Amino acid sequence: MASFNYLLITLILLPGLIPFTGRADDGPSLTDMGPYETPSRHASGSTTYNLGPTGARGWTRAYDGGKLFWGENGKEILVTWVDPGSPADGILRTFDVIIGTNGETFDKDARVCLGEAVFAAEKADGKLRLTRWRDGETSEVVIELPPLGEDAAMVPLKPEHSEAIRERALAYLATYMHPDGFKMHPSYKDFNALFMLAHGRPEDLDYVRRNIQHIVNRDPEGRYGPWAWVTGMDAILLAEYVQATGDTHVLPALDNLCRWMENARSYAGGWGHGGPYGGYGHVGLPGMFNAIGLVLARECGVTGYDRVIKDALNFYARGAGLGMIGYGGFDASMNLKTIYGDNGKNGVAAVLYEVLGDEPTTRAFATTASALAPYNESGHTGHFWSYSWGSLGAAAAPRPYQEFHAETTAWYYTMARTWRGGLNAQPWMGHMGSYAPNGAIANTGGLALWYCRPMRSLRILGGERGVFVRDLSGALAKARQTFYDRDYNGCLEILNGLEVSGDQKHWADQLAQKVRQTKETIAWTKAAITADLAKGDVYTAERRLNALKPILSDPNEMADLEKQLETPENKVLWTAGETYFNAMQWENCKDFERFHRAPGIVFNNKKRQEMKTLAEGDGYYAGLAAAALTQWPEEPEDKDVDLFKKDVVFVSDSMLYVGKDAGADKGVNYTYYEFDGIPPTPEAVREMTPVKEGVTAGFELTPRKRRHNFAFVFRTFLDVSEDREARFTTTSDDGSYLYVDGKLVVDNGGTHGMIAKHGDIQLDKGPREIECVYIQGAGAFGLKVDMAEAGTDGPRKKVDEAFTVDDPAGLTGLRLKIKATDPITVYLNGEVITRIVKKRKKGMLDSSWKEWETVTLKPVALTLLKEGENVLSVESAVNPLDSGEKTIGVQLQGLIPRT
C-alpha cells in the first residue's frame, strides 16, 4: 500500500517562466522535448494523429522549428495511444517511437512514410513492418492489418478500387448512429447522410430519412440557424434526397432554407458566416454551399430564387479569372488564405459550376484544386474541408490532374482511416488543433464521400439530373405523378404498359428502378421495426417508423405497430431508450483518450448514474447500460484510495478592483446596449441609449439579453501600488477597445473571431481608471481582459510539494482534485503529466474551473513515480484582472492501489 503526505499545493507568484528540464535519453529526439511537447500532454490533446487502421495514435513534429515546435522535421512518431483490441494492441504501447518501416528509417515526413507503408501492406499480405524504439532498444515488429487485395486500397479513381473502404465506413456509421440521426453539427451530419445516400441501399436510406427529419422539423431560428454553414449543407442534402428518392415531403423545408439564403445574402451576391455581415463579410466556402443548395433546389422545382442564384454565380465566377476563390471576398494579398487551396474553397467552386454544366469554369477551379493538393494542410481551419469538398472538386479536373491529386493525398486518406472503418480528420498543426470536430463519427462521411465520386450517384458527385427533376410528358409524367402520390404499384402498372425508346425509355427504366428501391426500403425498414420491437428496442423502432411514414402508400399501413408503441409498457421503454441513447451519443469530444477508450461514449457523472439506474432494471436497455458501464470503467470509490482531507483555501485579489470611486466596493460597472446596425466606433456606442446598467465581478458578458447585436461599456479602477509599466490584452469575438485614464491602449476592434491584441502603457501609482468597450455582431462571442508586466505574456505561479511512495509498482492510478481560475500545468518529478484547460462555455470564453473536479491521470504517469520522495508541481498563468476570489489550490487526492 502506498503512503504519502497529505498536502494542499498553494500556487506562488513567480517573476517569470519556470525553466523546463528535458529528458537525457540517448534515443530518438522525441524522447527529449520542450515543455509543450511531452507525451502525456499530447496523449490527450487534439494534436495527435490517427495512424491509419493500426488502432494507434501518435504525435510528430510537423514543422521545422518555429515558436511552437522544437528540433528536426517530423521523421519520428511518438505513440500516444493504442486502442485495446486493435491490430496494434500488444505490438505498440504509449511512449514507443516509430522510426521507420520495412527496415529503413523515415527519410521524410513520418506521417507520409507510414501512410505509404500501410497503403502497400494492405495491397499485399496485410503485414505492416515497423521499426520500433522502446526503452533504449530498437526492434522490428509486425502489425497484422486486414488486406484489401490488389488495387483495393488504391486511390479512388475507379469504383471497385474503393468498395471495401466504403463498405467499412458504412458499417461504422451504422454502428455509431443515434436512432434519431447523427448528433452533431449539421455541417458534418449532412456529410454522413450524403455518403449513405450515395449508396442508396434500403438500410442506408433508412438512416438518411432519420437524419432528414431533423431538418424538416427544426425551427429555422433554432440553435444552428440562421447560419450559412448550416443552411447550405442542409439544402444540398434535401435536394439530393429529393432527386435520389422522389420523396417530395421535404420541399417546404427546402423552400424555407432558400428563403433564408435570399434574405441573408449581400448585395454583391455572397454570404458571410451568418448573413451578409456576420463574422467579417464574405466567406467563400459556406457561401458556395448556399449557391449549390439553391441551384439543386431549383432543379427540384423550388422556384422564386433565380435572381439570388444569378447574383451568386456572377460573384463567385470572378474567382475563376483569378485562378482561385478567396477565403473571404477576393483579397489579392499573398497569404495562406488566398494563395493556397485551404478550406476546399476551389473544390467546392468546381462542384458548383459542374452542377451548372459550366465546363470552362469547372475546369478552372478543378485544376486549381488538384494542383494545390500538396498545400491541403496549409491555410485556415485545418484539413477537413480541403479533403472533403476540395477532393470532390479536384475529381472534376482532367485525368492527369486527378491522378496527381490522388497520388499526392493518398497517404492522408490512408492515415485517416481507423481500424473500425471510420475516417478521422487529422489536426491542423499550425494552430495545434482544427475547426473540424475530432473523431471519426463526425468526419467519416465528409472524407469517405470522395471514394464515391466514380459512382456519380449524386449531383455533387458529377451525376446527371434524374427522372424526378426532368421535364416529362404524357404517360411518363402521369406515372411519375402516381409515384408522388405514393401509389407505387399503380406507377409500375403504367410503366409496364409503356412502349418507349431513347431518352423516354431511359427515364421510364430509371423511374421503375426508383419504385423498386422505394418498395425495398419500406420492406426493409418494416422488418427492422418488427425486429426492434421483438428485442425491446422501442425507441429505435419508433424513430424508424416516424421517418418512414412520409413515404408509405397507406397512412394506416403501420397502424398496428403504432398501437404497440402506444401501450403504457412501451411508453416506459421508449423513455428508457431515449435516456440510454442520449447518454451514449457522441458529443463533439476532443479528448481522444476518452473517445478511443469507448467509441461513441462520453460519460459524465450524471450519465453514469443514468446508466446505473437503467442497468438495475430489466429488458433490452438494461443489458445495453450494463455493457456500457463495463466499457467505461468507473473510478474506484473513495474508500479504495487514500484521500486528501483538508479544507480548501482561497486567496482574494482585494486590491485590484474598486468601483466608480476609489475605495468603493469591488466590481466593474457596466452599461449594456442593443442595436440593429453595428456601431462603427466606441464613441457611437457611448452615445446610444442604454438598455440597463449594473455591477459585475469582472469583465463579464453574463448580463447580456441576446446573442447578437449588443455592446458593453465596462468602467472600473485599478489600484496601482507603485509605478510600473504594464501590458493589457483583450481577447474578444467580436471587437473590443481598452482605455486607461482615457487613453486608448488596445484596439481590437472590428468583426472577427476570437483573437487577442495587446498594448503597453506606463501606470503611475494610485487609482487608474480602466474602460473597456465591447461590440458583438453575429455568431460566437466572448471577452477576456488580461494584465501583465510590459513585454511579457504574464507571470507564472508555481509551487513544489513533496510526498512519499513506498511501492510505486503497486499503484494503478494517480488522482488529482482541481479548482483553478487559470489553465494549469502539473509536473511529476520535473516531467509534465497534464495540462488542464477548462472547456469553453458555448459561445463564451471561459477557462476557469468553477467547482472542484477530480482528474484521474493515465497509468503511464505512474512510470515517473519513484520509491521514496517524489515532487508534485503545479504551474499556472497569472492575470491580475481576474475577478472575484481566485482558487489557487490543487489537491493530490489519491494514489490508487492495485486491487
Side-chain angles (χ1 to χ4, degrees), residues 418-482:
T418 73
W419 73 284
R420 294 185 177 90
L423 284 89
N424 201 341
Q426 307 286 38
W428 178 31
M429 295 301 287
H431 273 189
M432 307 186 81
S434 175
Y435 281 15
N438 296 310
I441 295 177
N443 301 154
T444 293
L447 296 180
L449 200 58
W450 184 47
Y451 291 93
C452 302
R453 170 71 194 199
M455 299 166 62
R456 296 185 179 272
S457 52
L458 301 177
R459 294 287 284 134
I460 60 173
L461 298 177
E464 67 174 0
R465 293 175 58 193
V467 65
F468 297 118
V469 294
R470 291 285 180 174
D471 292 331
L472 303 179
S473 60
L476 193 53
K478 181 180 178 181
R480 184 173 65 182
Q481 184 58 50
T482 305

Coordinates of all heavy atoms in Angstrom, one line a residue, residues 418-482:
T418 N -9.6 4.6 -39.7 CA -9.4 3.9 -38.4 C -9.6 2.4 -38.6 O -10.2 2.0 -39.6 CB -10.4 4.5 -37.4 OG1 -11.7 4.0 -37.7 CG2 -10.4 6.0 -37.4
W419 N -9.2 1.7 -37.6 CA -9.3 0.2 -37.6 C -10.8 -0.2 -37.6 O -11.1 -1.3 -37.9 CB -8.5 -0.4 -36.6 CG -9.0 -0.3 -35.2 CD1 -8.9 0.8 -34.4 CD2 -9.6 -1.3 -34.4 NE1 -9.5 0.6 -33.1 CE2 -9.9 -0.8 -33.1 CE3 -10.0 -2.6 -34.6 CZ2 -10.6 -1.5 -32.1 CZ3 -10.6 -3.4 -33.6 CH2 -10.9 -2.8 -32.4
R420 N -11.7 0.7 -37.1 CA -13.1 0.3 -37.0 C -13.8 0.6 -38.3 O -15.0 0.3 -38.4 CB -13.8 1.1 -35.9 CG -13.3 0.6 -34.5 CD -14.1 1.3 -33.4 NE -13.6 0.9 -32.1 CZ -12.7 1.5 -31.4 NH1 -12.1 2.5 -31.9 NH2 -12.4 1.0 -30.2
G421 N -13.2 1.3 -39.3 CA -13.8 1.6 -40.5 C -14.1 3.1 -40.8 O -14.4 3.4 -41.9
G422 N -14.1 3.9 -39.8 CA -14.3 5.3 -39.9 C -13.1 6.0 -40.5 O -12.0 5.5 -40.7
L423 N -13.3 7.3 -40.8 CA -12.2 8.2 -41.2 C -12.2 9.4 -40.3 O -13.2 10.0 -40.0 CB -12.4 8.6 -42.7 CG -12.1 7.6 -43.8 CD1 -13.3 6.8 -44.1 CD2 -11.5 8.2 -45.0
N424 N -11.0 9.7 -39.9 CA -10.8 10.7 -38.8 C -10.0 11.9 -39.4 O -8.8 11.7 -39.7 CB -10.1 10.1 -37.6 CG -10.3 10.8 -36.4 OD1 -10.7 12.0 -36.4 ND2 -10.1 10.2 -35.2
A425 N -10.5 13.1 -39.4 CA -9.8 14.2 -39.9 C -8.6 14.5 -38.9 O -8.8 14.4 -37.7 CB -10.7 15.5 -40.0
Q426 N -7.5 14.8 -39.5 CA -6.3 15.0 -38.7 C -6.2 16.4 -38.2 O -6.8 17.3 -38.8 CB -5.0 14.7 -39.5 CG -5.0 13.3 -40.1 CD -4.8 12.1 -39.1 OE1 -5.3 12.2 -38.0 NE2 -4.1 11.1 -39.6
P427 N -5.5 16.7 -37.1 CA -5.5 18.1 -36.6 C -4.6 19.0 -37.4 O -3.8 18.5 -38.2 CB -4.8 17.9 -35.2 CG -4.0 16.6 -35.3 CD -4.8 15.7 -36.3
W428 N -4.9 20.2 -37.3 CA -4.1 21.2 -38.0 C -3.0 21.7 -37.1 O -3.2 22.4 -36.1 CB -5.0 22.4 -38.4 CG -4.3 23.5 -39.1 CD1 -3.2 23.4 -39.9 CD2 -4.7 24.9 -39.1 NE1 -2.9 24.6 -40.4 CE2 -3.8 25.6 -39.9 CE3 -5.6 25.6 -38.4 CZ2 -3.8 26.9 -40.1 CZ3 -5.7 27.0 -38.6 CH2 -4.8 27.6 -39.5
M429 N -1.7 21.3 -37.4 CA -0.6 21.6 -36.5 C -0.3 23.1 -36.5 O 0.3 23.5 -35.5 CB 0.6 20.8 -37.0 CG 0.5 19.3 -36.9 SD 0.1 18.8 -35.2 CE 1.7 19.0 -34.4
G430 N -0.7 23.8 -37.5 CA -0.4 25.3 -37.5 C -1.0 25.9 -36.2 O -0.4 26.8 -35.7
H431 N -2.2 25.5 -35.8 CA -2.8 26.1 -34.6 C -3.0 25.0 -33.6 O -3.8 25.2 -32.7 CB -4.2 26.7 -34.9 CG -4.0 28.2 -35.3 ND1 -5.1 29.0 -35.5 CD2 -2.9 28.9 -35.6 CE1 -4.7 30.2 -35.9 NE2 -3.4 30.2 -35.9
M432 N -2.3 23.9 -33.7 CA -2.4 22.8 -32.8 C -3.9 22.3 -32.5 O -4.3 22.1 -31.4 CB -1.7 23.2 -31.5 CG -0.3 23.7 -31.7 SD 0.5 24.0 -30.1 CE 1.0 22.3 -29.7
G433 N -4.6 22.2 -33.6 CA -6.0 21.8 -33.5 C -6.7 21.9 -34.8 O -6.0 21.8 -35.9
S434 N -8.0 21.9 -34.9 CA -8.7 22.0 -36.1 C -10.1 22.5 -35.8 O -10.7 22.2 -34.7 CB -8.7 20.7 -36.8 OG -9.6 20.8 -38.0
Y435 N -10.7 23.2 -36.8 CA -12.1 23.6 -36.6 C -13.0 22.4 -36.7 O -14.1 22.4 -36.1 CB -12.5 24.6 -37.7 CG -12.0 26.0 -37.5 CD1 -11.1 26.3 -36.5 CD2 -12.6 27.1 -38.2 CE1 -10.7 27.7 -36.3 CE2 -12.2 28.4 -38.0 CZ -11.2 28.7 -37.1 OH -10.8 30.0 -36.9
A436 N -12.6 21.4 -37.5 CA -13.5 20.2 -37.6 C -13.5 19.4 -36.3 O -12.5 19.3 -35.6 CB -13.0 19.4 -38.8
P437 N -14.6 18.9 -36.0 CA -14.7 18.1 -34.8 C -13.8 16.9 -34.9 O -13.6 16.3 -36.0 CB -16.1 17.6 -34.7 CG -16.9 18.5 -35.6 CD -15.9 19.0 -36.6
N438 N -13.1 16.5 -33.8 CA -12.3 15.3 -33.8 C -13.1 14.1 -33.7 O -14.1 14.1 -33.0 CB -11.2 15.4 -32.7 CG -10.3 16.6 -32.9 OD1 -9.7 16.7 -34.0 ND2 -10.1 17.4 -31.9
G439 N -12.7 13.0 -34.2 CA -13.4 11.7 -34.1 C -14.1 11.3 -35.4 O -14.6 12.1 -36.1
A440 N -14.0 10.0 -35.7 CA -14.5 9.5 -37.0 C -16.0 9.6 -37.1 O -16.5 9.6 -38.3 CB -14.0 8.1 -37.1
I441 N -16.7 9.7 -36.0 CA -18.2 9.8 -36.2 C -18.6 11.0 -36.9 O -19.5 11.0 -37.7 CB -18.9 9.7 -34.8 CG1 -18.6 8.3 -34.1 CG2 -20.4 9.9 -34.9 CD1 -19.2 8.2 -32.8
A442 N -17.9 12.1 -36.7 CA -18.2 13.4 -37.4 C -17.6 13.4 -38.8 O -18.1 14.0 -39.7 CB -17.8 14.6 -36.5
N443 N -16.4 12.9 -38.9 CA -15.6 13.1 -40.1 C -15.8 12.1 -41.2 O -15.4 12.4 -42.4 CB -14.1 13.1 -39.8 CG -13.7 14.2 -38.7 OD1 -12.8 14.1 -38.0 ND2 -14.6 15.3 -38.7
T444 N -16.3 10.9 -40.9 CA -16.3 9.8 -41.9 C -17.0 10.2 -43.2 O -16.4 10.0 -44.3 CB -16.9 8.6 -41.3 OG1 -16.1 8.1 -40.2 CG2 -17.1 7.5 -42.3
G445 N -18.2 10.7 -43.1 CA -19.0 11.0 -44.4 C -18.3 12.0 -45.3 O -18.2 11.8 -46.5
G446 N -17.7 13.0 -44.7 CA -17.1 14.0 -45.5 C -15.9 13.5 -46.2 O -15.6 13.8 -47.4
L447 N -15.0 12.7 -45.5 CA -13.8 12.2 -46.1 C -14.1 11.0 -47.0 O -13.4 10.9 -48.1 CB -12.8 11.8 -45.0 CG -12.3 12.9 -44.1 CD1 -11.3 12.4 -43.1 CD2 -11.6 14.0 -44.9
A448 N -15.1 10.2 -46.7 CA -15.3 9.0 -47.5 C -16.1 9.3 -48.7 O -16.2 8.5 -49.7 CB -16.1 8.0 -46.6
L449 N -16.8 10.5 -48.8 CA -17.6 10.8 -50.0 C -16.7 10.8 -51.2 O -17.2 10.6 -52.4 CB -18.3 12.1 -49.8 CG -19.5 12.4 -50.7 CD1 -20.6 11.3 -50.5 CD2 -20.1 13.8 -50.3
W450 N -15.4 11.2 -51.1 CA -14.5 11.2 -52.2 C -14.4 9.8 -52.9 O -14.3 9.7 -54.1 CB -13.1 11.7 -51.8 CG -12.2 11.8 -52.9 CD1 -12.4 12.4 -54.1 CD2 -10.8 11.3 -53.0 NE1 -11.3 12.4 -54.9 CE2 -10.3 11.7 -54.2 CE3 -10.0 10.7 -52.1 CZ2 -9.0 11.4 -54.6 CZ3 -8.7 10.4 -52.4 CH2 -8.2 10.7 -53.7
Y451 N -14.5 8.8 -52.1 CA -14.4 7.4 -52.6 C -15.7 7.1 -53.4 O -15.7 6.1 -54.2 CB -14.3 6.4 -51.5 CG -13.0 6.5 -50.8 CD1 -12.8 7.2 -49.6 CD2 -11.9 5.7 -51.2 CE1 -11.5 7.3 -49.0 CE2 -10.6 5.8 -50.6 CZ -10.5 6.5 -49.5 OH -9.3 6.6 -48.8
C452 N -16.7 7.9 -53.3 CA -18.0 7.6 -54.0 C -18.0 8.4 -55.4 O -18.9 8.2 -56.2 CB -19.2 8.1 -53.2 SG -19.4 7.3 -51.6
R453 N -17.0 9.2 -55.6 CA -17.0 10.1 -56.8 C -17.2 9.3 -58.1 O -18.1 9.7 -58.9 CB -15.8 10.9 -56.8 CG -15.5 11.7 -58.1 CD -16.5 12.9 -58.3 NE -16.5 13.3 -59.7 CZ -16.9 14.5 -60.1 NH1 -17.4 15.4 -59.2 NH2 -16.8 14.9 -61.4
P454 N -16.5 8.2 -58.3 CA -16.7 7.5 -59.6 C -18.1 6.9 -59.7 O -18.5 6.5 -60.8 CB -15.7 6.4 -59.5 CG -14.7 6.9 -58.5 CD -15.4 7.6 -57.5
M455 N -18.9 6.8 -58.6 CA -20.2 6.2 -58.7 C -21.2 7.2 -59.4 O -22.2 6.8 -60.0 CB -20.8 5.9 -57.3 CG -19.9 4.9 -56.6 SD -20.3 4.8 -54.8 CE -22.0 4.3 -54.8
R456 N -20.9 8.5 -59.3 CA -21.8 9.5 -59.9 C -23.3 9.3 -59.5 O -24.1 9.5 -60.3 CB -21.6 9.6 -61.4 CG -20.2 9.9 -61.8 CD -20.0 10.1 -63.3 NE -18.7 10.5 -63.6 CZ -18.2 11.7 -63.7 NH1 -19.0 12.7 -63.4 NH2 -17.0 12.0 -64.0
S457 N -23.5 9.0 -58.3 CA -24.9 8.7 -57.8 C -25.6 9.9 -57.2 O -26.8 9.9 -56.9 CB -24.9 7.6 -56.8 OG -24.0 7.8 -55.8
L458 N -24.8 11.0 -57.1 CA -25.4 12.3 -56.6 C -25.0 13.4 -57.6 O -24.0 13.2 -58.3 CB -24.9 12.6 -55.2 CG -25.2 11.6 -54.1 CD1 -24.5 12.1 -52.8 CD2 -26.7 11.4 -53.9
R459 N -25.7 14.5 -57.5 CA -25.4 15.6 -58.4 C -24.0 16.2 -58.0 O -23.2 16.5 -58.9 CB -26.4 16.7 -58.3 CG -27.8 16.3 -58.8 CD -27.8 16.2 -60.4 NE -27.8 17.6 -60.9 CZ -27.0 18.0 -61.9 NH1 -26.1 17.2 -62.4 NH2 -27.2 19.2 -62.4
I460 N -23.7 16.2 -56.7 CA -22.4 16.8 -56.3 C -21.3 15.8 -56.6 O -20.1 16.1 -56.4 CB -22.4 17.1 -54.8 CG1 -22.7 15.9 -53.9 CG2 -23.3 18.3 -54.5 CD1 -22.5 16.2 -52.4
L461 N -21.6 14.6 -57.0 CA -20.6 13.6 -57.4 C -20.5 13.5 -59.0 O -19.9 12.6 -59.5 CB -20.9 12.2 -56.9 CG -21.0 12.0 -55.4 CD1 -21.4 10.6 -55.0 CD2 -19.6 12.4 -54.8
G462 N -21.0 14.5 -59.6 CA -21.0 14.6 -61.1 C -22.1 13.8 -61.8 O -22.0 13.5 -63.0
G463 N -23.1 13.4 -61.0 CA -24.2 12.6 -61.6 C -25.2 13.5 -62.4 O -25.2 14.7 -62.2
E464 N -25.9 12.8 -63.3 CA -26.9 13.6 -64.1 C -28.1 14.0 -63.3 O -28.4 13.4 -62.3 CB -27.3 12.7 -65.3 CG -28.1 11.5 -64.9 CD -28.6 10.7 -66.1 OE1 -28.4 11.1 -67.2 OE2 -29.3 9.7 -65.9
R465 N -28.9 14.9 -63.9 CA -30.2 15.2 -63.3 C -31.1 14.0 -63.5 O -31.2 13.5 -64.7 CB -30.8 16.4 -63.9 CG -30.0 17.7 -63.6 CD -30.6 18.9 -64.4 NE -32.0 19.1 -64.1 CZ -32.8 19.9 -64.8 NH1 -32.3 20.5 -65.9 NH2 -34.1 20.0 -64.5
G466 N -31.7 13.5 -62.5 CA -32.5 12.3 -62.6 C -33.9 12.5 -63.0 O -34.4 13.6 -63.3
V467 N -34.7 11.4 -63.0 CA -36.1 11.4 -63.5 C -37.0 12.3 -62.7 O -38.0 12.8 -63.3 CB -36.6 9.9 -63.5 CG1 -36.7 9.4 -62.1 CG2 -37.9 9.8 -64.2
F468 N -36.7 12.6 -61.5 CA -37.6 13.4 -60.7 C -37.4 14.9 -60.9 O -38.2 15.7 -60.4 CB -37.4 13.1 -59.2 CG -37.8 11.7 -58.8 CD1 -36.8 10.8 -58.3 CD2 -39.0 11.2 -59.0 CE1 -37.1 9.5 -58.0 CE2 -39.4 9.9 -58.7 CZ -38.4 9.0 -58.2
V469 N -36.4 15.3 -61.7 CA -36.2 16.7 -62.0 C -36.1 16.9 -63.5 O -35.5 17.9 -63.9 CB -35.0 17.2 -61.3 CG1 -35.1 17.2 -59.8 CG2 -33.7 16.4 -61.6
R470 N -36.7 16.1 -64.3 CA -36.7 16.2 -65.7 C -38.1 16.6 -66.2 O -39.1 16.3 -65.5 CB -36.3 14.9 -66.4 CG -34.9 14.5 -66.2 CD -34.0 15.3 -67.1 NE -32.6 14.9 -66.9 CZ -31.6 15.4 -67.7 NH1 -31.9 16.3 -68.7 NH2 -30.3 15.1 -67.4
D471 N -38.2 17.3 -67.3 CA -39.4 17.6 -68.0 C -40.0 16.4 -68.7 O -39.4 15.9 -69.7 CB -39.3 18.8 -69.0 CG -38.9 20.1 -68.3 OD1 -39.3 20.3 -67.1 OD2 -38.2 20.9 -68.9
L472 N -41.1 15.8 -68.2 CA -41.7 14.7 -68.7 C -43.1 15.0 -69.2 O -43.7 16.0 -68.7 CB -41.7 13.5 -67.7 CG -40.4 13.1 -67.1 CD1 -40.7 12.0 -66.1 CD2 -39.4 12.6 -68.2
S473 N -43.6 14.2 -70.1 CA -44.9 14.5 -70.6 C -45.7 13.2 -70.8 O -45.1 12.1 -70.8 CB -44.9 15.3 -72.0 OG -44.2 14.5 -72.9
G474 N -47.0 13.3 -71.0 CA -47.8 12.1 -71.4 C -47.8 11.1 -70.3 O -47.9 11.4 -69.1
A475 N -47.8 9.8 -70.7 CA -48.0 8.7 -69.7 C -46.8 8.7 -68.7 O -47.0 8.3 -67.6 CB -48.1 7.4 -70.5
L476 N -45.6 9.1 -69.2 CA -44.5 9.0 -68.3 C -44.6 10.0 -67.2 O -44.3 9.8 -66.0 CB -43.2 9.3 -69.1 CG -41.9 9.0 -68.4 CD1 -41.8 7.6 -67.9 CD2 -40.7 9.2 -69.4
A477 N -45.1 11.2 -67.5 CA -45.4 12.2 -66.5 C -46.5 11.8 -65.5 O -46.4 12.0 -64.3 CB -45.8 13.6 -67.1
K478 N -47.5 11.1 -66.1 CA -48.6 10.5 -65.2 C -48.0 9.5 -64.3 O -48.4 9.4 -63.1 CB -49.7 10.0 -66.1 CG -50.8 9.4 -65.3 CD -51.9 8.8 -66.2 CE -53.0 8.2 -65.4 NZ -54.1 7.6 -66.3
A479 N -47.1 8.6 -64.8 CA -46.5 7.6 -63.9 C -45.7 8.2 -62.8 O -45.8 7.8 -61.6 CB -45.6 6.7 -64.8
R480 N -45.0 9.3 -63.1 CA -44.2 10.0 -62.1 C -45.1 10.6 -61.0 O -44.9 10.5 -59.8 CB -43.3 11.0 -62.6 CG -42.4 11.7 -61.6 CD -41.4 12.6 -62.3 NE -42.0 13.7 -62.9 CZ -41.3 14.7 -63.6 NH1 -40.0 14.6 -63.7 NH2 -41.9 15.6 -64.2
Q481 N -46.2 11.2 -61.5 CA -47.2 11.8 -60.5 C -47.8 10.7 -59.6 O -48.0 11.0 -58.4 CB -48.3 12.6 -61.3 CG -49.2 13.3 -60.3 CD -48.5 14.3 -59.4 OE1 -47.7 15.1 -59.9 NE2 -48.8 14.2 -58.1
T482 N -48.0 9.6 -60.2 CA -48.6 8.5 -59.4 C -47.6 8.1 -58.4 O -48.0 7.7 -57.2 CB -48.9 7.3 -60.4 OG1 -49.8 7.7 -61.4 CG2 -49.6 6.1 -59.6

